[in-house]
Amino acid sequence: MSETDHKDQMKRLEDRIAAAKKAQDPKPRADEHYSAANLAWRMVIEMVSGLGIGFGIGYGLDSLFGTIPIFLVLFTMLGLAAGVKTMLNSAKEIEKKQVAEATERDERD
């Protein structure tokens, strides 16, 4: 056998291995992708939890110090800001995942 025969055999073997690996690749599962409703609920929960935690801390401090509801208003606003920030970070994270998935699909096609 000559060297070109060995190269041809190796090339055919590599092609068969690649085809076998491609056939065994797992298919993407449909339940791994979040629906728009799930994402919306996640953002709503983040917003409400930020408000609730801020309200709770403010109410607790007002009760502890016996003040007018200055801490309640202050910490509720801080909770709102924290909720919005967390919600925006989640939106950026979701956008990055969608861009990565789209890029991966384009590379496969």
Side-chain angles (χ1 to χ4, degrees), residues 8-74:
D8 290 339
Q9 286 180 339
M10 289 299 292
K11 177 65 176 154
R12 286 191 304 254
L13 180 61
E14 288 173 358
D15 291 341
R16 287 178 42 203
I17 290 172
K21 283 184 180 180
K22 187 174 183 180
Q24 291 181 352
D25 281 343
K27 304 290 183 218
R29 293 177 40 183
D31 61 346
E32 288 179 355
H33 299 289
Y34 297 110
S35 68
N38 287 346
L39 298 174
W41 273 112
R42 176 182 171 185
M43 290 184 180
V44 167
I45 290 170
E46 289 170 350
M47 176 70 85
V48 171
S49 63
L51 279 169
I53 291 170
F55 180 84
I57 291 172
Y59 183 78
L61 288 175
D62 278 333
S63 296
L64 183 67
F65 296 129
T67 59
I68 57 173
I70 187 79
F71 289 117
L72 181 105
V73 171
L74 177 69

Side-chain angles (χ1 to χ4, degrees), residues 57-99:
I57 291 172
Y59 183 78
L61 288 175
D62 278 333
S63 296
L64 183 67
F65 296 129
T67 59
I68 57 173
I70 187 79
F71 289 117
L72 181 105
V73 171
L74 177 69
F75 279 93
T76 301
M77 292 300 155
L78 289 174
L80 175 69
V84 169
K85 183 178 179 195
T86 305
M87 194 173 66
L88 290 174
N89 286 340
S90 295
K92 287 179 186 177
E93 173 188 330
I94 292 164
E95 183 181 5
K96 284 181 185 179
K97 284 181 183 179
Q98 288 176 346
V99 167

